Amino acid sequence: MDGEAEIQAALKPLGIEYERWSLDRVPPDSCADAVLGAYAVEIEEMKRRGGYVTADVIDVNPATPNLEEMLARFDKEHTHDEDEVRFILSGRGIFFLVLDESVASVEVGPGDMLRVPRGTKHWFTLCEDRRIRAIRWFQATSGWTPHYTDSGVDTAYQPLCFGPAYLGQRVQAAFGPGQALGQKR
Ligand SMILES: [Fe+2]
C-alpha cells in the first residue's frame, strides 16, 4: 500500500490521520530552527487543527548519546494524554497501534505526516539504520509524556522494516476482532 489516498483510507477508520508532505522546503539536515522556519505555515496550521501549542524537531541517530535507553522509552506500549503528531524529515520507523483486539503497524519515512489520537495504545521503533528526524507537535508545553501500560503486548511483535522497496507492506491494518497483524513472532 503506497498511495497517499489509499493509506489515508486505510487509517481513517482507525482515527489516524495520514498525509504526504513535500520535503523540498529545506535540506533535511538543516538545523532545527531552519526546519521549523521552513515549515512555519504548516506548523501553525497544524496547531490550529489540533490545538497544539508548541512544536520541535527530534533527532535520533546512532551518534545520539544513550540511544538504546532513549529507544527503550519509545518501544514499550504506552499512551499519551495528547495526540502524537509527527512529520518525518528523514529516517524510518514503525508505529504499532493497538486497536481493540488488533494491532496495526505503519512504517513511516521521509515526507510522512501521522497524527495518532490521544489515548491510543501504541509503541514505536526505528528501522535498521537507527535514525529518525521529525517535527513533533504538543498540546502541552511539558512535552513528551508517556504512560506505560506494562501489558507486554509489544514483546510479541518484531520491529521488521520493509523499506521503500516494499511499500506494499507499509500499512497493515487489522479490523477483525482477535486478529493481530504486524510481524508477530
Ligand atoms: Fe508515543
Side-chain angles (χ1 to χ4, degrees), residues 11 29 35 38 56 58 75 78-79 82 100-101 108 119 121 124 129 141 145 151 157 168 182 185:
L11 293 178
D29 55 353
V35 170
D56 72 1
I58 184 169
D75 70 3
H78 62 272
T79 63
E82 58 177 308
D100 295 327
E101 295 181 56
V108 292
K121 292 179 188 171
F124 177 81
D129 62 356
T141 52
T145 307
S151 72
Y157 293 84
R185 279 179 190 142

Side-chain angles (χ1 to χ4, degrees), residues 1 4 15 31 40 44-45 54 63 110 129 149 151 163 165 171 176 182:
M1 196 178 296
E4 180 180 11
C31 70
E44 291 307 310
E45 171 59 21
T54 186
D129 62 356
T149 64
S151 72
V171 174

Side-chain angles (χ1 to χ4, degrees), residues 30-42:
S30 301
C31 70
D33 284 346
V35 170
L36 295 172
Y39 287 96
V41 171
E42 286 84 355

Side-chain angles (χ1 to χ4, degrees), residues 37-60:
Y39 287 96
V41 171
E42 286 84 355
I43 288 170
E44 291 307 310
E45 171 59 21
M46 184 62 81
K47 284 181 181 175
R48 278 192 291 275
R49 277 163 68 182
Y52 312 117
V53 296
T54 186
D56 72 1
V57 174
I58 184 169
D59 210 336
V60 178

Side-chain angles (χ1 to χ4, degrees), residues 93-108:
I94 311 179
F95 280 94
F96 288 89
L97 305 158
V98 181
L99 308 157
D100 295 327
E101 295 181 56
S102 65
V103 175
S105 66
V106 182
E107 184 175 327
V108 292

Side-chain angles (χ1 to χ4, degrees), residues 49-52 80-86 114-120 122 137-139 144:
R49 277 163 68 182
Y52 312 117
H80 305 282
D81 295 332
E82 58 177 308
D83 303 342
E84 184 154 324
V85 192
R86 303 288 184 266
L114 198 69
R115 193 151 77 117
V116 179
R118 71 187 73 180
T120 304
H122 67 281
W137 284 259
F138 298 103
Q139 282 153 318
W144 194 83

